């Protein structure tokens, strides 16, 4: 373990694992970058964009729906609900989700449902944004 | 002694049973593959999430502010019984039921209720004198995360407002296509102490971690999420285990049918040969009798 290693776990399996240069993570309290020899950290991850810089300098962008991130001994563990590479995002589905969430918000229900719709809308918008970046 | 036609009919009926068991085996092995992929993909995520919580909870000195972790004296307990909706899967359900009964006997002093998932468990316990808090059939028809999360939320509210002081789950864990383990696990209150096998020394090094946001907020967010994920894992485990158990059961049924057919065919041929021999000796005997006269 010479360099910085990353492991991205989602309920649908291990999405990505490799040795990398750096990783930019959308934390709940703001975006942060993890480089080699970063201090040990446990952070909540928000809906947003993860940018990984691979060893050869290539950048990978992933859309995430939030979760947790643990950094220890040059190993990043991202435990997130989803992580999709920009070119693998299902745009149709994200659009559908967006319309559905908007409809639900417009119908003016309060409480839990509207909170969930807001989160769903944020997820959909995030996916669309990131998918749009890379086309 | 059975007549030739009777034996033939029997062979025929066994053959058609064998065709059914063979088809069921194929169906469940196809379903098994899918179920297996899902559980194997989820497991690392679920375990890792649980480790994060263990690590956090171990650092929080005052647990009493966290109602899902704080222990209460157990006056009422709830056992969640995860069985299948359909039968023909070997000892899958009876193993679960046996474990639950054992647990009920240990709990004879405590007021214990059951929360049953799957029709087979309900069929058994509804005839026994046991209080069933809730019964959820057909969860496995279409397992999705939302359903699992709904049940997990239901369990949490039973724990917080329903008067239950302890919730346990009994389910089958998927080990391999031919092996299932019955797991008996405490769901609530959440048990952080159960250190994973490898990580006894791990917890010491976690002192100088940075936390973002602070520990208490993290824990409060993580625990409900973790319960949903753990429950989903349990459903997927049970589903994969069920398909595995059914596949094995149907395979051995097919093999048994094969063996039975083999034995019956031998018996059939013997009987047929015996009849021919008998007929021949009668003809020969008759001919000899004619010659002598």
């Amino acid at each position: 373990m010479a360099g910085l290693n990353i492991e991205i776990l989602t309920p649908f399996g291990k999405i990505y694992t490799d040795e990398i240069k750096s990783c930019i993570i959308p934390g709940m309290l703001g975006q942060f970058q993890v480089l080699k020899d970063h201090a040990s950290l446990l952070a909540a991850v928000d809906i947003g964009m993860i940018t990984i810089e691979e060893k050869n300098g290539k950048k990978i962008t992933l859309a995430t729906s939030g979760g947790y991130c643990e950094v220890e001994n040059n190993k990043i563990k991202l435990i997130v609900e989803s992580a999709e590479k920009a070119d693998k995002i299902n745009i149709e589905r994200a659009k559908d989700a967006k319309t559905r969430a908007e409809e639900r918000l417009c119908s003016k229900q309060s409480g839990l449902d509207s909170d969930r719709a807001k989160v769903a809308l944020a997820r959909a918008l995030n996916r669309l944004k990131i998918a749009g970046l890379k086309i | 002694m059975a007549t030739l036609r009777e034996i033939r009919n029997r062979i025929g009926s066994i053959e058609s049973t064998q065709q059914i068991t063979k088809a069921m085996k194929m169906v469940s092995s196809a379903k098994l593959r899918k179920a297996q992929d899902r559980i194997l993909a989820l497991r690392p995520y679920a375990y890792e999430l649980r480790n994060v919580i263990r690590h956090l909870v171990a650092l929080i000195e005052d647990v009493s502010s966290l109602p899902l972790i704080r222990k209460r004296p157990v006056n009422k307990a709830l056992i969640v019984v995860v069985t299948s909706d359909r039968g023909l899967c070997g000892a899958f359900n009876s193993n679960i039921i046996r474990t639950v009964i054992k647990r009920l006997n240990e709990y004879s002093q405590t007021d214990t209720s059951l929360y049953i998932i799957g029709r087979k468990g309900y069929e058994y316990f509804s005839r026994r004198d046991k209080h069933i808090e809730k019964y959820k059939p057909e969860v496995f028809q279409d397992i999705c995360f939302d359903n699992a999360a709904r049940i997990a939320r239901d369990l949490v509210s039973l724990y917080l407002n329903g008067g239950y002081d302890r919730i346990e789950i009994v389910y089958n864990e998927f080990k391999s296509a031919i092996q299932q383990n019955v797991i008996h696990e405490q769901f609530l209150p959440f048990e952080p102490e159960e250190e994973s096998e490898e990580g006894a020394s791990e917890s010491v090094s976690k002192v100088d971690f940075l936390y973002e946001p602070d520990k208490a907020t993290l824990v409060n967010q993580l625990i409900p999420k973790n319960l949903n994920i753990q429950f989903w894992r349990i459903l997927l485990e049970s589903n994969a285990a069920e398909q595995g158990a059914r596949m094995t059961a149907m395979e051995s049924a097919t093999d048994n049918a094969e063996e039975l057919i083999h034995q019956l065919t031998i018996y059939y041929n013997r009987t047929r040969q015996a009849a021919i021999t008998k007929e021949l000796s009668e003809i020969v005997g008759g001919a000899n009798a004619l010659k002598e006269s």
Side-chain angles (χ1 to χ4, degrees):
Chain A
M1 269 237 274
L4 177 68
N5 281 280
I6 192 168
E7 195 175 68
I8 303 183
L9 293 167
T10 74
F12 312 100
K14 209 178 265 188
I15 298 289
Y16 184 88
T17 169
D18 205 354
E19 199 182 312
I20 57 165
K21 261 192 194 156
S22 80
C23 177
I24 301 173
I25 295 164
M28 206 59 101
L29 305 178
Q31 210 178 41
F32 59 90
Q33 183 173 29
V34 180
L35 288 155
K36 194 171 178 300
D37 294 327
H38 193 283
S40 298
L41 167 88
L42 184 71
V45 176
D46 202 2
I47 298 168
M49 182 167 82
I50 301 173
T51 312
I52 296 171
E53 193 184 351
E54 284 189 315
K55 262 205 311 198
N56 55 18
K58 214 180 115 202
K59 282 197 175 145
I60 298 179
T61 325
L62 299 113
T64 180
S65 306
Y68 298 89
C69 163
E70 197 183 57
V71 183
E72 197 187 10
N73 290 331
N74 281 323
K75 187 156 174 67
I76 308 174
K77 263 187 220 155
L78 271 166
I79 308 163
V80 287
E81 273 167 37
S82 78
E84 290 147 6
K85 286 191 185 155
D87 52 341
K88 295 232 173 82
I89 293 173
N90 188 336
I91 296 173
E92 286 307 307
R93 218 185 107 195
K95 276 185 185 153
D96 283 352
K98 180 175 164 251
T99 359
R100 232 179 309 133
E102 279 167 348
E103 274 165 17
R104 229 177 298 161
L105 280 177
C106 289
S107 66
K108 278 196 185 163
Q109 280 171 327
S110 58
L112 190 71
D113 270 351
S114 111
D115 285 350
R116 267 159 63 186
K118 270 181 205 154
V119 177
L121 183 61
R123 278 199 301 259
L125 287 174
N126 176 52
R127 282 206 173 96
L128 289 173
K129 190 179 120 205
I130 290 167
L133 284 179
K134 271 274 173 146
I135 285 175
Chain B
M1 197 184 188
T3 65
L4 284 179
R5 175 176 305 174
E6 274 168 10
I7 303 173
R8 228 173 12 233
N9 284 344
R10 237 187 116 202
I11 294 179
S13 86
I14 292 170
E15 265 166 3
S16 48
T17 311
Q18 190 189 25
Q19 263 166 14
I20 294 170
T21 57
K22 222 184 233 167
M24 284 185 75
K25 189 202 141 192
M26 308 268 245
V27 171
S28 50
S29 66
K31 281 189 183 162
L32 170 68
R33 189 157 319 139
K34 223 172 100 192
Q36 194 176 353
D37 287 348
R38 286 174 88 176
I39 183 65
L40 293 183
L42 178 69
R43 257 188 210 157
Y45 176 81
Y47 290 152
E48 208 52 62
L49 192 60
R50 191 157 62 182
N51 283 346
V52 171
I53 300 191
R54 288 208 174 124
H55 149 198
L56 273 171
V57 173
L59 293 175
I60 290 182
E61 290 88 28
D62 185 24
V63 202
S64 55
S65 61
L66 300 165
L68 293 178
I69 296 178
R70 193 183 52 203
K71 283 203 182 71
R72 306 193 292 227
V74 181
N75 296 320
K76 252 178 108 186
L78 182 70
I79 301 182
V80 183
V81 185
V82 187
T83 56
S84 68
D85 286 322
R86 287 152 200 278
L88 291 181
C89 44
F92 181 84
N93 290 314
S94 48
N95 281 343
I96 293 283
I97 288 169
R98 201 175 323 125
T99 315
V100 173
I101 290 175
K102 210 176 101 201
R103 198 67 197 149
L104 286 175
N105 289 338
E106 285 167 17
Y107 266 141
S108 49
Q109 265 84 346
T110 327
D111 181 9
T112 317
S113 303
L114 300 172
Y115 189 108
I116 294 175
I117 292 161
R119 195 173 289 132
K120 286 288 155 186
Y122 183 71
E123 277 170 14
Y124 183 88
F125 285 107
S126 61
R127 286 190 214 116
R128 309 279 179 305
D129 186 27
K130 265 288 146 206
H131 177 241
I132 293 172
E133 175 68 41
K134 232 172 226 176
Y135 160 50
K136 299 246 172 197
E138 295 180 7
V139 176
F140 295 104
Q141 297 259 305
D142 167 40
I143 346 174
C144 60
F145 179 68
D146 287 345
N147 278 338
R150 207 166 301 137
I151 299 178
R153 273 200 297 274
D154 195 22
L155 290 174
V156 170
S157 74
L158 280 173
Y159 179 75
L160 293 177
N161 316 316
Y164 291 103
D165 305 305
R166 194 183 162 101
I167 298 182
E168 295 174 7
I169 299 189
V170 179
Y171 66 100
N172 271 302
E173 185 194 45
F174 173 76
K175 185 109 199 218
S176 72
I178 50 163
Q179 210 188 343
Q180 300 86 40
N181 284 349
V182 177
I183 302 281
H184 174 234
E185 201 171 79
Q186 184 174 328
F187 190 65
L188 283 167
F190 184 75
E191 281 261 275
E193 285 88 26
E194 234 185 283
E195 275 284 327
S196 54
E197 305 86 55
E198 71 265 28
S201 60
E202 217 178 12
S203 54
V204 186
S205 64
K206 307 245 173 182
V207 183
D208 48 344
F209 255 70
L210 299 171
Y211 297 94
E212 195 191 297
D214 59 294
K215 286 178 232 170
T217 320
L218 274 174
V219 168
N220 278 331
Q221 286 176 355
L222 263 165
I223 287 179
K225 195 176 263 177
N226 173 61
L227 291 175
N228 293 351
I229 291 282
Q230 296 307 334
F231 195 75
W232 193 35
R233 197 200 90 227
I234 286 170
L235 286 187
L236 289 183
E237 294 270 9
S238 178
N239 184 44
E242 180 194 340
Q243 300 306 339
R246 180 164 300 119
M247 196 183 90
T248 334
M250 287 303 110
E251 192 171 349
S252 63
T254 312
D255 290 349
N256 286 343
E258 191 67 54
E259 204 186 306
L260 209 54
I261 289 171
H262 180 69
Q263 281 170 3
L264 279 174
T265 314
I266 289 175
Y267 183 54
Y268 174 77
N269 287 338
R270 282 225 182 98
T271 319
R272 193 176 53 107
Q273 199 59 53
I276 292 169
T277 316
K278 201 173 135 208
E279 246 171 63
L280 268 179
S281 67
E282 271 167 13
I283 293 169
V284 172
N288 283 346
L290 279 177
K291 220 186 277 170
E292 276 163 24
S293 63

